[in-house]
Amino acid sequence: MAEKTGTIERDASRRVALVTGASRGIGRAVAEGLAADGFDLALVYAGNEAAAAEAVAACEAAGATARAYRCDVSDAEAVKATVDAVLADFGSVWALVNNAGVTRDGLLVRMSDEDFSRVIDVNLKGAFHTTRALTRAFMRQRGGRIVNMASVVGLMGNAGQANYAASKAGLIGLTKSVARELAPRGVTANAIAPGFVETDMTAVLSEGVVESYEKQIPLGRLASAEEVAAVTRFLVSDAASYVTGEVIRVDGGMAM
Ligand code: NAP
């Protein structure tokens, strides 16, 4: 039934998901999967207009109303404006998937302050910004789902990724605090810790590095973005209503 709950005319029986980093990789697979599960989609991306347009088209092909929002999640004011726009456009948000992430790898002795800060600002503060901007709406709605895309690196550490590992470990702490704070309002918050996933982020790794990673993975291969999306789809579903504050590894057994 087409109805106006926000400024967009859409089927108001469909829940809305806001996915950051939804233009490519894991976020794109999450958005497409949620579209197939009956969600309408607000897709946040950093700057790749063409990829964002493709992701919107893929969600629409799966039956969703979808719109892309360009926003650097490290910018608190921009996030607030984007979240306000999404709420005005769609009327509500049921699921927030904090997936936007970057790497600036380097060994400690050569890691600059800028590279350390940028990764923390996008991966950790970005999730804080979106979560804070949506918290009042979640509390009023007395229900909702938050999924934060962490990493096994946040559990294990990784040489050359001190900034990234710190951001992902921090994201796990944020997840558990949000889970405790919002549980009384029926909002769950969980983290996913993927191992190595075939996306643009890992496409830069040399064949030798990928082979050495594969040797550490009991299942012997990298994950597909869809395999990570599948767990995200579960966590935002009604089936996951009693799961909160959890960290689910999707890593082929790598960090067990
Ligand atoms: P990806 O292919 O590099 O895509 C990154 C996505 O994040 C893009 O949509 C990009 O938008 C967006 N993005 C980057 N910086 C942003 C910012 N400042 N504000 C808003 N959006 C931003 O990454 P991925 O491999 O799918 O990774 C997704 C998440 O999973 C990340 O948090 C990553 O740390 C985590 N993860 C990945 C792996 C892996 O092996 N790939 C493993 C564990 C965890 P544009 O397209 O506009 O640039």
Side-chain angles (χ1 to χ4, degrees):
M1 186 185 55
E3 198 182 294
K4 269 196 167 177
T5 52
T7 56
I8 299 178
E9 200 158 297
R10 62 184 196 88
D11 178 352
S13 67
R14 293 175 72 96
R15 284 172 167 165
V16 178
L18 190 166
V19 182
T20 69
S23 46
R24 293 184 282 121
I26 295 169
R28 156 93 188 251
V30 167
E32 267 191 76
L34 292 181
D37 291 344
F39 281 84
D40 285 340
L41 268 305
L43 299 96
V44 172
Y45 68 104
N48 192 331
E49 303 279 350
E54 267 180 42
V56 166
C59 291
E60 287 172 345
T65 297
R67 190 167 282 192
Y69 299 83
R70 182 177 184 151
C71 169
D72 179 347
V73 295
S74 71
D75 180 340
E77 279 181 25
V79 168
K80 171 86 174 66
T82 299
V83 164
D84 287 348
V86 170
L87 288 170
D89 290 346
F90 286 86
S92 65
V93 171
W94 177 258
L96 167 64
V97 181
N98 287 311
N99 166 80
V102 293
T103 51
R104 295 271 177 94
D105 297 352
L107 296 174
L108 275 173
V109 283
R110 283 197 293 270
M111 187 172 285
S112 67
D113 287 353
E114 289 72 25
D115 284 350
F116 193 89
S117 296
R118 181 65 186 159
V119 171
I120 298 288
D121 286 351
V122 175
N123 299 8
L124 177 55
K125 287 181 78 179
F128 163 62
H129 293 149
T130 52
T131 305
R132 180 177 60 183
L134 268 170
T135 288
R136 274 201 185 84
F138 276 141
M139 287 171 75
R140 270 198 300 273
Q141 152 178 297
R142 295 195 162 268
R145 299 275 190 269
I146 299 166
V147 178
N148 293 327
M149 206 53 73
S151 166
V152 286
V153 166
L155 300 169
M156 303 166 69
N158 196 19
Q161 288 198 306
N163 49 0
Y164 185 79
S167 75
K168 296 302 188 180
L171 194 52
I172 289 170
L174 176 72
T175 305
K176 293 181 180 180
S177 301
V178 170
R180 287 184 186 277
E181 208 167 306
L182 298 187
R185 301 292 184 125
V187 180
T188 68
N190 293 287
I192 296 178
F196 292 96
V197 188
E198 278 180 28
T199 67
D200 293 347
M201 192 177 266
T202 48
V204 296
L205 301 172
S206 71
E207 222 170 276
V209 170
V210 172
E211 269 170 29
S212 78
Y213 284 147
E214 282 170 347
K215 287 200 186 95
Q216 301 169 46
I217 304 169
L219 285 179
R221 62 173 176 83
L222 273 58
S224 70
E226 288 71 25
E227 286 172 314
V228 179
V231 178
T232 314
R233 292 165 72 176
F234 164 68
L235 284 173
V236 304
S237 74
D238 287 339
S241 52
Y242 205 60
V243 182
T244 198
E246 186 55 271
V247 183
I248 301 185
R249 289 184 297 104
V250 184
D251 66 350
M254 188 179 165
M256 71 179 150

